[in-house]
Amino acid sequence: MRYLPHSDADREAMLARIGVGAIDELFADIPADKLLRAPLDLPATKSEIEVERILGRMAGKNVPAGSVPFFVGAGAYRHHVPASVDHLIQRSEFLTSYTPYQPEIAQGTLQYLFEFQTQVANLTAMEVANASMYDGSTGTAEAVLMAHRLTRKRKAVLSGGLHPQYRAVVETVSGMAGDTVNALAADPMGTEAILASIDKDTSCVVVQSPSFYGHLIDLKPIAEKAHEVGALLIAVFTEVVALGAIEPPGAQGADIVVGEGQSIGNPLTFGGPYVGLFATRQKYVRQMPGRLCGETVDAEGRRGFVLTLSTREQHIRRDKATSNICTNSGLCCLAFTIHMSLLGETGLTRLAALNHANAVKLAESLSEVPGVTVLNDSFFNEFTIRVPGAAAAIIEKLAAKGVLGGVPVSRIDQNHPELNDLIVVASTEINTDEDRAAYVQALREII
């Protein structure tokens, strides 16, 4: 508390006002084994220049993504972001009030959020989209809560191809709410019988396509089975560029579409911040979480933009709100909108085709390495390989040879030791023939 000006008497008064006996009670929902029992083992106070030197040495241990052949994905992808994006997001037209509750002084912010919603709705083939979530994982959890409100049922079925970290976020939120989660077994082969897990008690079924392991999933039969029992289909994606090549989830019967938009306009930046995409049917709009921007006219008939349906938010409805998210990833959202505008439909389609072609070339090359098996019979720009031995150890050896060869499944999903020989590999438009050759050669030498 050394940085807070409150006295002991101040703190006691505050606790008494909210009916809490001690500060520790404010953290009662955190599992006991997750609480610190002692101060962190950090160095003592140092000067600014000493801190810069220490952090500089630490940063020097990193291998920058752009310095070596890079095939890492699993929810965070390296794409080319035009320099014009970084320039345009700094223009003063967009540097209006962060919280756009006063439309008369926030038209720049409100307009790009409106354009963002339009782009997301078009990409997903849905009727309405919100003005962004924090990221794809929290957006997925919000989609599950939304489905519970709409169906008045409290059981979610999670596909075994859902990103393990997305699954974990859903389980955390559902656990706090007392909801039921039926998380199906990991599905690296893309053969799970998800239809058999949907019953009359199901509120929603959450399916990722392309899946965490890269498989393309036909959502239509899943949507039909879900609708037969009064459940909703939540379609998830982690690679938004895939929507430039595959049939959009809305056209396959999805009721809610949610995913990660990092691939458009946003560099890797060590894992965030990212921008969640969320879209649904018009009839469900009042239960959709997050902000929603609308187009209108002012008193003089001029085109303008405003937040709408704000009674869904907690600053109006408090605990009865549809969501406790009261902000959005504004700058990431703007970068997404500008990059998508620069690409256009034709550019996105070409970008998607290039991603797929590069991934096909890599999969064909890796499959010729003795001991390596590609598990996918369908994929976009990401697929899974089985290697002889521990995948994590092979990835470390590849890194030592100057190749970032993908993500060992064991690094993200530690609950399935039978998957320790699997690597999720991504290949985007940034990969060259030389990159692929370096990967194959290094893997041959290691194996």
Side-chain angles (χ1 to χ4, degrees):
M1 292 297 180
R2 57 197 171 121
Y3 298 111
L4 300 179
H6 305 111
S7 65
D8 291 340
D10 293 333
R11 288 192 284 273
E12 290 176 4
M14 294 165 70
L15 293 171
R17 178 64 175 173
I18 61 176
V20 175
I23 289 177
D24 288 347
E25 294 180 31
L26 298 176
F27 306 96
D29 289 327
I30 300 176
D33 62 335
K34 299 299 188 292
L35 293 171
L36 293 176
R37 298 302 177 189
L40 293 171
D41 183 19
L42 293 173
T45 302
K46 295 185 181 299
S47 68
E48 180 176 335
I49 190 170
E50 289 176 312
V51 171
E52 288 178 351
R53 289 169 179 164
I54 293 172
L55 295 181
R57 288 195 295 270
M58 293 174 64
K61 298 179 181 179
N62 291 320
V63 178
S67 65
V68 295
F70 184 89
F71 300 95
V72 177
Y77 304 92
R78 181 170 177 248
H79 290 279
H80 172 69
V81 180
S84 51
V85 173
D86 187 55
H87 171 73
L88 290 172
I89 63 175
Q90 300 178 66
R91 287 187 62 89
S92 60
E93 293 91 337
F94 302 116
L95 300 179
T96 52
S97 174
Y98 171 64
T99 304
Y101 295 131
Q102 295 175 271
E104 63 274 17
I105 63 171
Q107 283 300 293
T109 298
L110 288 164
Q111 179 168 356
Y112 81 68
L113 291 177
F114 180 83
E115 303 294 351
F116 170 83
Q117 291 173 178
T118 304
Q119 291 172 342
V120 174
N122 287 339
L123 280 169
T124 58
M126 300 300 282
E127 296 165 342
V128 61
N130 69 15
S132 93
M133 311 296 287
Y134 290 137
D135 56 24
S137 62
T138 52
T140 301
E142 290 284 349
V144 170
L145 295 178
M146 175 179 166
H148 292 342
R149 294 192 297 269
L150 288 167
T151 64
R152 300 186 184 279
K153 293 186 282 187
R154 314 296 298 184
K155 174 185 172 183
V157 176
L158 309 185
S159 165
L162 181 65
H163 194 298
Q165 293 174 340
Y166 284 41
R167 180 185 67 225
V169 173
V170 173
E171 290 175 335
T172 298
V173 173
S174 298
M176 297 298 294
D179 299 331
T180 300
V181 174
N182 178 15
L184 303 184
D187 184 35
M189 303 300 295
T191 57
E192 68 180 341
I194 194 169
L195 296 180
S197 302
I198 305 173
D199 57 29
K200 61 182 179 59
D201 297 320
T202 302
S203 162
C204 58
V205 54
V206 183
V207 183
Q208 179 178 327
S209 180
S211 75
F212 171 70
Y213 302 97
H215 301 286
L216 298 177
I217 310 298
D218 184 1
L219 300 177
K220 294 177 182 176
I222 302 173
E224 292 174 2
K225 178 63 180 293
H227 295 158
E228 286 177 5
V229 299
L232 302 181
L233 170 60
I234 299 174
V236 178
F237 56 86
T238 60
E239 171 56 290
V240 65
V241 176
L243 298 182
I246 66 176
E247 186 176 20
Q252 298 188 60
D255 300 288
I256 304 172
V257 180
V258 61
E260 178 55 61
Q262 172 266 324
S263 290
I264 302 294
N266 291 276
L268 286 172
T269 55
F270 295 95
Y274 287 162
V275 52
L277 312 183
F278 196 112
T280 188
R281 305 290 179 187
Q282 180 71 37
K283 60 183 178 181
Y284 301 140
V285 66
R286 290 189 177 275
Q287 289 299 328
M288 183 172 61
R291 288 179 177 156
L292 187 66
C293 291
E295 183 181 17
T296 186
V297 294
D298 64 12
E300 299 179 4
R302 295 175 300 186
R303 183 189 190 209
F305 303 91
V306 295
L307 291 181
T308 186
L309 297 180
S310 293
T311 52
R312 303 169 310 126
E313 291 195 61
Q314 75 272 26
H315 70 283
I316 298 291
R317 300 197 66 196
R318 299 175 66 83
D319 59 308
K320 293 184 175 63
T322 60
S323 171
N324 282 319
I325 291 180
C326 62
T327 185
N328 60 43
S329 300
L331 188 63
C332 300
C333 175
L334 175 59
F336 177 100
T337 303
I338 291 173
H339 192 184
M340 186 61 69
S341 299
L342 293 170
L343 283 170
E345 182 177 356
T346 300
L348 178 64
T349 301
R350 290 176 178 173
L351 176 63
L354 183 57
N355 272 249
H356 179 59
N358 279 354
V360 169
K361 292 177 184 177
L362 180 62
E364 290 175 346
S365 298
L366 291 177
S367 66
E368 296 175 356
V369 177
V372 174
T373 304
V374 176
L375 302 187
N376 304 63
D377 56 9
S378 68
F379 57 85
F380 171 60
N381 69 355
E382 191 166 27
F383 53 89
T384 300
I385 61 174
R386 174 170 281 121
V387 294
I394 289 178
I395 287 295
E396 292 298 327
K397 292 177 181 178
L398 283 168
K401 289 179 174 291
V403 175
L404 299 181
V407 178
V409 172
S410 60
R411 181 174 297 170
I412 292 183
D413 190 347
Q414 301 174 352
N415 297 321
H416 296 86
E418 70 277 12
L419 306 180
N420 287 352
D421 58 351
L422 301 184
I423 301 174
V424 177
V425 181
S427 183
T428 69
E429 77 282 359
I430 58 97
N431 296 127
T432 64
D433 290 339
E434 291 76 15
D435 291 339
R436 288 185 284 274
Y439 189 177
V440 172
Q441 178 62 27
L443 192 57
R444 282 182 182 275
E445 294 173 358
I446 292 169
I447 291 178

